[in-house]
Amino acid sequence: MNGSEDDGPQSQRSPPTPAETGRWRMTVDVDPTIVAKEQRTYRDMKIRREWQKEYLSFSGRVRELDLEFDKFMRVFRPLGSSSRIIRAAKDLQVRLKDVLELLKSNSAEIWKEFSGTMGNDELPNDLEVLPDSKYRSAIDFLPCALYALSEGLKAIMEGLYDIPEFLDKRLTDSLQDFREWSLFRARCIMTNREGLGKQWAPGTASLNLIPGSIPLRRSTICLYIGQVMKEMPSHTLEAKDALSSFIQDGVPAIQKSQGKSQARLSNMSTVATFLSAVTATTLQYDIGSARESGYVQITAESVAE
């Protein structure tokens, strides 16, 4: 009996309710179109903020390199053979600012391109671009600007090679790497620009125009140019560090070497002046002796002797 009394109530007990176990299940009907729109809005907002942030970081790197070139020109001006390289440095600063302005316009275009789901494409202050009459698209003009930048870097290197005492391989290597990268990316952007509206394969790093399922749109190229902007600070930083090292160590070494050369030239000039004076005195003495002896005809051969 004890067994039946113990077993009866337990066998008839119902399973625990969700309230008892703490596990609740809630079913809510969600419109998939609303979810998709919210996801697109979040994605677009993330893209806009990402490239705004990347542009601000990039512009800071360019300003750092620009200031380093200012310092470079100040310390380099007293050196011999400096005029050509100073002109090249000033020209390079202009070309860097041109690239910066075009990448700013690209970041602004990305901002507007991904504003559709939010209904507001007003640019933030740090992405405001020139009026439409002066606006230049990065897709159209950046390849030429990058090519001009590569030529400016080449002119800097040629100016450095004109200085016999220049031996800083790190600086020329960093400038050469920057130059080759600029030329490569200029060609890539031109190739992608020619493929607008054509098919491309998703996942290709350089947007190679091969058969695929997605038409190459303008926004895709803008994002690719954004990736180019993301790469460029590594080159500007390396060039800045190499310039800083050259200013600290290379310029004083060149000044010291040129100082020694000037001292040698000064000593040679002093010796030459002394020998000229001795020669002139000896010549006068010889002419005076000839006159005293009654031989007054002086020929070129006698003077040479």
Side-chain angles (χ1 to χ4, degrees), residues 70-90:
D70 284 338
K71 189 188 301 182
F72 168 76
M73 287 185 287
R74 283 197 302 271
V75 301
F76 211 86
R77 189 167 282 109
L79 299 180
S81 306
S82 64
S83 58
R84 178 183 178 184
I85 196 169
I86 288 174
R87 286 196 303 271
K90 288 181 178 179

Side-chain angles (χ1 to χ4, degrees), residues 64 84 88 127 150 172-174 176 200 209 250 261 293 297-298:
E64 289 175 359
R84 178 183 178 184
L127 289 182
S150 72
T172 52
D173 284 350
S174 67
Q176 180 63 22
W200 69 287
L209 302 177
S261 297
S293 63
Q297 184 178 3
I298 300 176

Side-chain angles (χ1 to χ4, degrees), residues 3-287:
S4 62
E5 290 178 358
D6 293 337
D7 295 340
Q10 293 177 1
S11 61
Q12 296 177 1
R13 182 175 296 176
S14 60
T17 64
E20 293 173 336
T21 61
R23 295 191 300 269
W24 291 88
R25 292 184 180 180
M26 182 178 293
T27 303
V28 179
D29 292 332
V30 179
D31 187 347
T33 60
I34 295 177
V35 174
K37 182 178 179 180
E38 290 178 349
Q39 289 176 341
R40 287 196 304 271
T41 300
Y42 174 76
R43 179 207 63 186
D44 291 353
M45 187 180 300
K46 185 178 179 181
I47 290 173
R48 296 200 313 177
R49 289 177 177 174
E50 176 186 359
W51 294 113
Q52 179 189 16
K53 181 180 177 182
E54 288 295 339
Y55 167 74
L56 293 176
S57 174
F58 170 71
S59 62
R61 293 296 188 189
V62 171
R63 281 194 294 271
E64 289 175 359
L65 181 58
D66 186 66
L67 292 173
E68 203 65 33
F69 269 116
D70 284 338
K71 189 188 301 182
F72 168 76
M73 287 185 287
R74 283 197 302 271
V75 301
F76 211 86
R77 189 167 282 109
L79 299 180
S81 306
S82 64
S83 58
R84 178 183 178 184
I85 196 169
I86 288 174
R87 286 196 303 271
K90 288 181 178 179
D91 183 61
L92 184 64
Q93 287 179 310
V94 173
R95 299 182 187 203
L96 272 171
K97 290 176 182 176
D98 190 39
V99 171
L100 176 63
E101 192 64 34
L102 286 167
L103 289 173
K104 181 181 181 180
S105 74
N106 186 73
S107 300
E109 190 167 347
I110 290 174
W111 182 279
K112 289 187 174 183
E113 183 69 26
F114 291 91
S115 297
T117 57
M118 284 162 274
N120 180 15
D121 63 354
E122 183 178 355
L123 293 172
N125 293 335
D126 46 38
L127 289 182
E128 287 184 352
V129 294
L130 296 171
D132 292 341
S133 59
K134 297 181 180 179
Y135 174 78
R136 295 182 304 156
S137 166
I139 293 177
D140 297 323
F141 290 94
L142 185 58
C144 292
L146 287 173
Y147 178 78
L149 178 63
S150 72
E151 290 298 299
L153 292 165
K154 180 182 177 182
I156 289 280
M157 290 187 290
E158 289 175 347
L160 290 171
Y161 289 137
D162 281 346
I163 302 172
E165 301 85 0
F166 177 77
L167 298 172
D168 194 331
K169 190 172 184 296
R170 179 191 174 187
L171 178 56
T172 52
D173 284 350
S174 67
L175 296 177
Q176 180 63 22
D177 288 345
F178 196 0
R179 178 174 182 266
E180 291 176 356
W181 176 87
S182 299
L183 288 171
F184 172 71
R185 288 307 179 194
R187 289 192 293 267
C188 288
I189 296 171
M190 289 179 66
T191 301
N192 296 329
R193 184 180 64 190
E194 293 168 359
L196 273 173
K198 298 179 181 179
Q199 301 293 110
W200 69 287
T204 53
S206 60
L207 303 183
N208 296 319
L209 302 177
I210 58 179
S213 58
I214 301 177
L216 185 59
R217 297 181 299 178
R218 189 175 182 88
S219 60
T220 307
I221 301 180
C222 286
L223 290 174
Y224 175 75
I225 292 175
Q227 292 293 340
V228 172
M229 179 179 69
K230 200 171 183 179
E231 288 180 6
M232 194 169 175
S234 64
H235 294 280
T236 60
L237 180 60
E238 177 59 29
K240 170 188 167 292
D241 290 345
L243 269 176
S244 179
S245 176
F246 175 65
I247 291 169
Q248 183 177 354
D249 301 323
V251 172
I254 292 175
Q255 288 174 330
K256 184 177 180 181
S257 178
Q258 289 187 351
K260 289 181 178 179
S261 297
Q262 289 174 356
R264 286 194 296 268
L265 289 173
S266 178
N267 291 336
M268 291 174 63
S269 177
T270 301
V271 172
T273 302
F274 173 75
L275 292 176
S276 297
V278 171
T279 302
T281 302
T282 303
L283 183 59
Q284 290 175 355
Y285 175 78
D286 290 341
I287 294 173

